[in-house]
């Protein structure tokens, strides 16, 4: 019975984590879309290198979303390792998005 309860808690943790992370990924998508729209509306900020960086961040965000959606339950230990690595990747992406957009906003 303890094993069943532990397994149930692990699966609940997985679902909660996936929901929380999906919200962060959606926020990244929204931020990227807003900046892409502002570039399209302001020809002076249509720097190809900047656009390429935005595209790269957008792809990384899609890759994280895919990685999260494709994760299959493989045990609590692997789940904890996945969360640690995923959190790091998501934080790095969030910082990269923030830094790129803040830098660009200051330059305009």
């Amino acid at each position: 019975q303890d094993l069943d309860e532990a397994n149930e808690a692990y699966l609940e943790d997985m679902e909660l984590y996936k929901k929380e992370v999906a919200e962060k990924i959606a926020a990244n998508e929204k931020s990227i879309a807003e900046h892409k729209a502002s570039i399209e509306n302001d020809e002076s900020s249509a720097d190809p290198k900047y656009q390429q960086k935005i595209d790269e961040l957008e792809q990384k965000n899609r890759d994280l979303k895919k990685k999260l959606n494709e994760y299959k339950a493989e045990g609590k230990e692997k789940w904890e390792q996945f969360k640690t690595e995923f959190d790091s990747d998501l934080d790095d992406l969030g910082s990269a998005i923030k830094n790129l957009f803040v830098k660009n906003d200051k330059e305009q």
Side-chain angles (χ1 to χ4, degrees), residues 60-97:
K60 286 180 183 179
N61 200 56
R62 280 194 300 264
D63 291 346
L64 284 177
K65 186 176 185 177
K66 182 179 178 184
K67 183 177 179 180
L68 181 68
N69 289 335
E70 291 179 351
Y71 183 83
K72 303 293 182 222
E74 297 180 49
K76 186 163 176 55
E77 188 175 310
K78 285 190 177 185
W79 171 241
E80 293 301 326
Q81 181 181 356
F82 173 84
K83 284 196 318 185
T84 300
E85 293 171 7
F86 196 90
D87 283 341
S88 177
D89 292 345
L90 189 60
D91 289 346
D92 290 349
L93 177 60
S95 294
I97 290 170

Side-chain angles (χ1 to χ4, degrees), residues 28-67:
N28 287 347
E29 289 172 347
K30 182 179 178 189
S31 180
I32 291 168
E34 288 171 354
H35 277 80
K36 286 179 86 168
S38 71
I39 289 173
E40 291 171 6
N41 294 332
D42 181 8
E43 292 178 18
S44 65
S45 67
D47 177 9
K49 289 181 183 177
Y50 181 69
Q51 182 61 48
Q52 180 181 359
K53 288 180 182 179
I54 291 175
D55 291 344
E56 289 170 5
L57 293 174
E58 189 174 35
Q59 183 60 50
K60 286 180 183 179
N61 200 56
R62 280 194 300 264
D63 291 346
L64 284 177
K65 186 176 185 177
K66 182 179 178 184
K67 183 177 179 180

Side-chain angles (χ1 to χ4, degrees), residues 11-12 16 18 30 58 79 105-106:
L11 293 175
E12 287 175 13
L16 179 62
K18 284 184 172 188
K30 182 179 178 189
E58 189 174 35
W79 171 241
D105 289 344
K106 287 181 180 177

